Amino acid sequence: MPFGILSVLGLLGFMRESATRHETFDFFGFATLSLAIGALQIMLDRGQLQDWFSSTEICVEAALGAVAFYLFLVHTLTARNSFVSPGLFGDRNFDVGCVAIFTFGVVLFATLALLPPFLQQLMGYPVVTTGWVTAPRGVGTLIATLTVGRLTSWLGARMLIGAGIALTAASTWQMSGFSPLMDNRLVIWSGFVQGMGIGLAYVPLTTVCFATLAPQFRSGGTSMFNLLRNIGSSIGISAVQALLTRNTQIMHSRLAEHVTLYGGGQLRPAAPYSFSTPQGLAALNATVTRQAEMIAYNNDFKLLLVLSLAILPLVLLLKPPRPGAGGAPVMME
């Protein structure tokens, strides 16, 4: 509440009212896009519970979303005044920025969805400790945001975007080496590095993305920019959770194959892991499950590393903003 009140007072005191123009609202485009996004969101939220496409519900939601999105595309390309103007995607910087922010949404929010259960379930951290060891991510973002303006004037926007993506990739590479035997220093450091990377890349990416976009498209571009980030976060969270469950099951089966009383290089169950008692079998299964989950978490972080590296070459496609060019403000949630 206090921050919200200060924000409202600041907007009333320092922002001028922009000129408005009346346009016909495209209800059909709005309805089809909303239906497509809503069906996609419900499918992603319930997919893990319903075993994805083995469920009739998920298949219906996927088909409904696909049909609605198809109608939205056809309508957008053929209507005179569409809800989303096709001219919005005629700017190369904006297109590259949309791809990058979508991937940032996947990497950032997927990481945030993976770390708390990893720290609490595998590492045994209490909730408060989990919050403390993940807090440096925000500190890194704050430091980067406060310094990115001056660094942009020195190094250029594209250099900072590339550096931010590289730091994000480096953090996911560090996370892919997590182990149940490590201390919390690697968690703190990797989170701080990722926060720095996101902070360094986001602000100049927004500036470059909107600097070359025509003024009449900036309002719609801001909405599309944030929408793609949110869709990326939803897809990222659902994908890594589904892969985590699947890979845990696969690795549990593979590790269990090597649990035997015999063999030199294989695991020899002994007390308290005894085949002769239910308690020993339960303890042995818990150990194998813990190791399988650790491998699954590492595989998820490796996937996020690949996604971070995949968008790094896109920085070369960005055109430097013209001197004095300014982008539209982009709301961050």
Side-chain angles (χ1 to χ4, degrees):
M1 286 293 294
F3 292 103
I5 294 174
L6 289 176
S7 299
V8 171
L9 295 177
L11 291 173
L12 294 176
F14 297 99
M15 288 194 69
R16 298 179 180 178
E17 186 66 40
S18 58
T20 59
R21 54 182 179 180
H22 298 284
E23 295 181 350
T24 303
F25 186 76
D26 181 16
F27 285 98
F28 184 80
F30 171 77
T32 52
L33 180 61
S34 300
L35 183 60
I37 295 175
L40 174 64
Q41 188 65 58
I42 295 174
M43 184 190 74
L44 294 174
D45 289 342
R46 293 183 55 80
Q48 187 68 25
L49 299 175
Q50 301 294 326
D51 197 20
W52 293 103
F53 293 101
S54 299
S55 168
T56 302
E57 176 192 341
I58 299 301
C59 293
V60 170
E61 291 164 354
L64 182 62
V67 171
F69 186 67
Y70 171 77
L71 294 175
F72 168 75
L73 284 180
V74 173
H75 177 75
T76 298
L77 296 175
T78 56
R80 178 174 299 180
N81 295 315
S82 58
F83 181 67
V84 177
S85 175
L88 182 65
F89 300 98
D91 185 270
R92 187 174 70 185
N93 277 15
F94 181 77
D95 295 340
V96 173
C98 286
V99 175
I101 200 61
F102 177 86
T103 309
F104 270 138
V106 173
V107 174
L108 175 61
F109 289 94
T111 304
L112 292 175
L114 288 173
L115 279 178
F118 165 73
L119 294 175
Q120 294 178 44
Q121 297 173 12
L122 286 186
M123 303 296 293
Y125 287 7
V127 175
V128 175
T129 305
T130 299
W132 279 113
V133 299
T134 55
R137 177 192 310 274
V139 176
T141 302
L142 177 62
I143 294 175
T145 304
L146 294 176
T147 59
V148 70
R150 180 166 299 187
L151 291 175
T152 301
S153 61
W154 290 348
L155 302 176
R158 291 192 299 180
M159 182 68 71
L160 279 185
I161 295 172
I165 296 174
L167 286 176
T168 304
S171 68
T172 53
W173 174 74
Q174 290 178 314
M175 294 175 187
S176 66
F178 281 174
S179 166
L181 302 178
M182 68 178 183
D183 56 24
N184 57 22
R185 286 179 295 180
L186 184 58
V187 180
I188 293 173
W189 178 246
S190 61
F192 178 80
V193 171
Q194 187 174 78
M196 285 283 292
I198 295 295
L200 286 177
Y202 189 90
V203 175
L205 177 65
T206 303
T207 302
V208 173
C209 181
F210 287 91
T212 58
L213 193 64
Q216 66 269 23
F217 295 133
R218 288 181 179 174
S219 178
T222 300
S223 302
M224 183 60 62
F225 193 78
N226 288 311
L227 175 63
L228 288 173
R229 189 194 73 231
N230 292 334
I231 293 176
S233 65
S234 298
I235 293 176
I237 292 172
S238 298
V240 296
Q241 294 293 347
L243 289 173
L244 179 66
T245 302
R246 178 180 177 84
N247 288 335
T248 299
Q249 295 171 348
I250 293 174
M251 296 311 303
H252 186 280
S253 299
R254 292 183 179 179
L255 292 175
E257 294 175 356
H258 299 280
V259 178
T260 176
L261 291 171
Y262 312 101
Q266 298 173 327
L267 177 62
R268 299 181 179 180
Y273 309 116
S274 175
F275 283 152
S276 60
T277 63
Q279 294 82 1
L281 290 174
L284 180 60
N285 181 70
T287 299
V288 173
T289 301
R290 187 165 182 258
Q291 295 299 323
E293 288 181 351
M294 187 69 258
I295 297 173
Y297 275 110
N298 289 341
N299 287 340
D300 273 358
F301 288 128
K302 289 176 183 177
L303 174 62
L304 299 180
L305 168 62
V306 172
L307 290 177
S308 300
L309 294 176
I311 62 173
L312 190 57
L314 294 180
V315 178
L316 301 176
L317 300 178
L318 293 172
K319 295 183 292 185
R322 298 183 302 272
V330 178
M331 296 298 294
M332 261 191 95
E333 295 181 358

